[in-house]
Amino acid sequence: MKEIARELKKARVEDVRMDESLSKHTTWKVGGPADILIYPHSKEELERTMAVIRQYEIPWRIIGRGSNLLVRDGGVRGAVIKIGSGLDHMQVKGDRVIVGGGYSFVRLSVIVSRQGLAGLEFAGGIPGTVGGAVFMNAGAHGSETCEVLESAEVLSEDGKWLRLTNEELQFSYRTSILQSQLRGVVTEATFQLKKGDAKQVSEAMLRYKQRRMETQPLQHPCAGSVFRNPSGNHSGHLIESAGLKGFRIGGAEVSTQHANFIINRGDATANDVLTLIHHIIRTIDEKYGITLQPEVQVVGEG
């Protein structure tokens, strides 16, 4: 990895960190080190980064704010590319918004709502980046990213710049083509919103915020909803009905505020969280014959 770090420096990619603990870069605050963490601060740096990765044929993955990610305690082999500063531009053109993949999805929703643009109110409680929201078709309150996304700019694994339409991204519940058939990095997204009344949009945002504060354990490190909702049901309701609220393994605990959240009580390991996830899946399957599917991505070595 030292040789790769030297090549990246030669390619004018300046922010390169060896054996960086990913607990600093995930909202659960757990996880081992990345062999190499690369933080490109422009599209050009990202393009050069991907060229070096292709040259050395090393495994790689993208993270944004690490809000939907569980990194195992053994860390991640290969390269982790963090998208944020430098890829976080934002421009409003009438009712269309062009925004960088590293931009905060929450911040975007707040800013456009203040300008009377409707359509992203649901995003006020999704603590990831725009790129991450596109990648996983993030949603809340019955709405999803795909409902307002017009297109996305993607740098593919083989170094090609693509502009993918909503249809080409093949969205479905919490998934897109980027999770399977097309590996790449979302560098920009264009949203088609609607002109609305700034006061009404802001009031809707406030209602969502109050609901989150009342129902979600935002005072603790967590990763949002852990499980996808099964058809016709809610994971949180199933977990609560099974008597698992407050159930704890090590420093990981099923939130007493919202059962589809697992919180870090301060000393949790990734193994604590993963063991608790498996316990929940097993319990719900035994009690209700329903197999819960994790919404969070689990990466790295144990």
Side-chain angles (χ1 to χ4, degrees):
M1 286 298 162
K2 288 182 180 179
E3 184 179 353
I4 293 168
R6 286 194 294 269
E7 285 297 317
L8 287 164
K9 293 287 186 182
K10 287 181 187 177
R12 305 188 310 283
V13 179
E14 297 300 327
D15 199 344
V16 178
R17 311 173 193 182
M18 304 291 291
D19 296 317
E20 176 82 357
S21 174
L22 292 175
S23 65
K24 302 175 185 177
H25 302 277
T26 62
T27 57
W28 246 323
K29 304 299 181 188
V30 298
D35 284 345
I36 185 168
L37 179 73
I38 307 163
Y39 203 152
H41 293 283
S42 68
K43 290 182 182 180
E44 293 75 20
E45 278 195 29
L46 175 62
E47 192 170 28
R48 295 194 294 270
T49 295
M50 294 303 292
V52 172
I53 285 172
R54 284 196 306 277
Q55 177 187 344
Y56 284 86
E57 299 181 333
I58 61 171
W60 64 276
R61 67 166 299 109
I62 296 291
I63 64 169
R65 294 180 166 233
S67 60
N68 197 50
L69 191 65
L70 177 60
V71 178
R72 293 175 186 264
D73 296 314
V76 178
R77 305 289 71 79
V80 173
I81 304 168
K82 181 163 182 172
I83 302 299
S85 173
L87 290 164
D88 56 355
H89 55 283
M90 200 266 283
Q91 185 179 18
V92 178
K93 293 184 175 181
D95 55 3
R96 292 170 77 245
V97 181
I98 302 166
V99 60
Y103 202 89
S104 162
F105 206 33
V106 169
R107 186 180 177 201
L108 175 64
S109 68
V110 170
I111 288 176
V112 298
S113 70
R114 288 173 179 168
Q115 298 187 29
L117 292 173
L120 278 171
E121 294 89 331
F122 73 92
I126 300 175
T129 59
V130 166
V134 174
F135 177 83
M136 69 167 292
N137 189 24
H141 309 294
S143 298
E144 297 177 303
T145 301
C146 64
E147 295 171 13
V148 288
L149 186 83
E150 181 181 289
S151 64
E153 179 186 74
V154 175
L155 176 62
S156 69
E157 185 174 37
D158 59 6
K160 295 177 181 176
W161 287 98
L162 307 172
R163 173 65 65 173
L164 301 178
T165 65
N166 187 300
E167 293 74 21
E168 289 170 331
L169 284 159
Q170 297 180 25
F171 288 116
S172 58
Y173 180 67
R174 300 296 179 267
T175 62
S176 72
I177 194 174
L178 300 170
Q179 294 184 31
S180 53
Q181 302 171 47
L182 176 64
R183 289 204 78 201
V185 186
V186 177
T187 55
E188 187 175 271
T190 300
F191 293 96
Q192 178 64 63
L193 304 179
K194 294 180 180 179
K195 293 281 188 181
D197 180 271
K199 183 180 178 183
Q200 290 180 352
V201 177
S202 293
E203 286 175 350
M205 288 283 293
L206 182 60
R207 287 195 299 273
Y208 286 148
K209 181 179 179 180
Q210 289 173 334
R211 182 179 170 188
R212 287 193 303 277
M213 295 298 290
E214 292 168 0
T215 62
Q216 298 180 9
L218 303 178
Q219 69 276 26
H220 297 286
C222 61
S225 296
V226 175
F227 298 100
R228 300 179 181 189
N229 287 325
S231 179
N233 216 319
H234 290 88
S235 295
H237 173 70
L238 290 168
I239 297 165
E240 182 174 355
S241 297
L244 290 174
K245 263 191 172 182
F247 187 86
R248 186 168 176 174
I249 293 178
E253 178 182 290
V254 177
S255 169
T256 56
Q257 201 168 358
H258 192 311
N260 199 16
F261 282 64
I262 291 176
I263 61 173
N264 179 355
R265 297 297 302 184
D267 58 349
T269 64
N271 190 58
D272 291 340
V273 176
L274 194 57
T275 304
L276 183 51
I277 287 173
H278 289 156
H279 177 77
I280 293 167
I281 292 172
R282 195 164 51 249
T283 301
I284 300 305
D285 188 36
E286 289 172 356
K287 281 183 173 287
Y288 305 112
I290 296 172
T291 303
L292 294 182
Q293 298 296 326
E295 189 169 305
V296 296
Q297 287 195 308
V298 180
V299 302
E301 300 180 349

